[in-house]
Amino acid sequence: MSGIAGPLSLRSRRILVTGAASGIGRATCELLSRLDARVVAVDIDGSGLQALEQQLGGEGHASLCADLEDLDRIPGWMADIAAAGPLFGFVHAAGVSCVQPVRLLTPAVYRKVLTLNTEAALALARGFQKKSVRDPAGGSIVFISSVMADVGSIGAAAYSMSKAALHGLSRSLALEFAPAGVRVNCVAPGFIDTPMFGRMSALWEPAQFARVREDHPLGLGTALDVAHGVAFLLADTGRWVTGSVLTVDGGYTAH
Ligand SMILES: NC(=O)c1ccc[n+]([C@@H]2O[C@H](COP(=O)([O-])OP(=O)(O)OC[C@H]3O[C@@H](n4cnc5c(N)ncnc54)[C@H](O)[C@@H]3O)[C@@H](O)[C@H]2O)c1
C-alpha cells in the first residue's frame, strides 16, 4: 500500500498513537505507516514498542516509553516530540478494561480507569493545542471509545463511564478546535480480538463467549477493522467530519 495517493494518503503527516505496543494501537501504527504517515508510538511497554519498530515501513518514525497515568508530564513530552517536527494529530488508543460490580468499585479502582481512558485523552489534547506542537495546516484527533459508552453491561459501570465521557469531550473539543482546523472524533469499537479481549474472555464460560460472538452479526472484529476507521478520520477522507462517533462494531449496536 506504500506510496498511496488520494484522500486516504497520510504522506508526511506526523501522528502520535498511544497504546502503540498492542492491539488496536499497534494495528493503527502499522496501517498509518503503510499510508505514509510518520508515526510517534507511545506506550508504557518498552519491549512492545521495540517489537513494533521492526514492523513499521517507511521512515521518520519515533517512539516514547511513557506512563499516560502521569498526566502532568504529558504536555511536556509532547512539546519535546514536536521539537523534531509538528504533529498533525494523535490517536488515544491506550486504555484499560474494568469488569467489577459496583460493590467493588472504590474510588481508587474507578479513578485508575478514568485516569488512563479519559483524563489522559484531555491531557493529550492540552498538549496538542499549543501552536508550537500542532501542524499549522490543521489536524485530526481520534479517541478510541467503545460501544460500552452507549450500551450498558453488568460490571461495566467504570469502563462505560470512562468511554461515554470521551464522546462528550470530543464534541466540545471539536467546537473549540475547529477555528484552528483541528477535527476531533471518536471511534467506538465492538468486541475486538486483541490481548485485552483475550484477558477478559479467558474468564468467560464457553456459553458467554458464544453469546458475545452471536451479538456481533458480522463476527468479532480485528484490530485492523478499527484502524481502518481511524485512518479514515485522520486522512482527508474525514475532512468534513468532526464531533462524531464512528461505530465499528460488526452490527453489535444494530440490535
Ligand atoms: N479489545 C476490545 O474488545 C475493545 C473494544 C472496544 C474498545 N476498546 C478500546 O480500544 C483501546 C485499545 O484496546 P486493546 O484491545 O488494543 O488493548 P490492549 O490491552 O491490547 O492494548 C492497550 C495498550 O495500552 C498500553 N497501556 C496500558 N496502560 C498504559 C499506561 N498507563 N500508559 C501508556 N500505555 C498504557 C498497554 O501497554 C497496551 O499496549 C482501549 O482504549 C480499549 O478500551 C477495545
Side-chain angles (χ1 to χ4, degrees), residues 19 21-25 43-45 66-69 93-95 116 144-146 159 163 189-192 194-197 199:
S22 177
I24 292 168
D43 205 288
I44 198 169
D45 174 4
D67 182 355
L68 287 153
E69 288 187 48
L116 179 60
I144 306 299
S145 60
S146 166
Y159 186 74
K163 295 300 188 176
F191 284 91
I192 306 295
T194 66
M196 176 188 281
F197 176 74
R199 288 189 294 275

Side-chain angles (χ1 to χ4, degrees), residues 105-168:
L105 276 186
T106 60
V109 172
Y110 66 72
R111 280 186 191 139
K112 190 168 173 61
V113 180
L114 280 172
T115 302
L116 179 60
N117 292 6
T118 318
E119 291 185 72
L122 177 54
L124 288 158
R126 286 181 59 231
F128 183 74
Q129 53 82 35
K130 290 189 186 134
K131 279 188 178 159
S132 56
V133 170
R134 60 182 165 82
D135 192 326
S140 177
I141 295 172
V142 180
F143 300 136
I144 306 299
S145 60
S146 166
V147 290
M148 291 300 153
D150 292 319
V151 176
S153 176
I154 292 169
Y159 186 74
S160 294
M161 176 169 71
S162 74
K163 295 300 188 176
L166 288 177
H167 291 184

Side-chain angles (χ1 to χ4, degrees), residues 168-186:
L169 174 64
S170 63
R171 283 190 284 266
S172 285
L173 292 181
L175 298 178
E176 192 169 328
F177 291 176
V182 175
R183 298 178 290 101
V184 189
N185 294 285
C186 291

Side-chain angles (χ1 to χ4, degrees), residues 47-143:
S47 56
L49 287 175
Q50 277 177 2
L52 172 72
E53 279 166 24
Q54 313 299 319
Q55 298 299 316
L56 295 184
E59 292 176 341
H61 308 303
S63 65
L64 176 75
C65 187
D67 182 355
L68 287 153
E69 288 187 48
D70 204 345
L71 301 175
D72 290 339
R73 297 189 65 181
I74 289 176
W77 56 247
M78 286 180 84
D80 293 343
I81 286 167
L87 291 171
F88 176 79
F90 72 87
V91 181
H92 182 44
V96 276
S97 65
C98 176
V99 184
Q100 296 274 15
V102 166
R103 71 187 150 77
L104 297 181
L105 276 186
T106 60
V109 172
Y110 66 72
R111 280 186 191 139
K112 190 168 173 61
V113 180
L114 280 172
T115 302
L116 179 60
N117 292 6
T118 318
E119 291 185 72
L122 177 54
L124 288 158
R126 286 181 59 231
F128 183 74
Q129 53 82 35
K130 290 189 186 134
K131 279 188 178 159
S132 56
V133 170
R134 60 182 165 82
D135 192 326
S140 177
I141 295 172
V142 180
F143 300 136

Side-chain angles (χ1 to χ4, degrees), residues 193 197-198 200-216 220:
D193 194 2
F197 176 74
M200 201 168 28
S201 60
L203 307 172
W204 295 347
E205 301 291 334
Q208 187 178 359
F209 196 98
R211 243 190 343 269
V212 167
R213 193 181 281 278
E214 280 164 20
D215 283 344
H216 295 74
L220 291 183

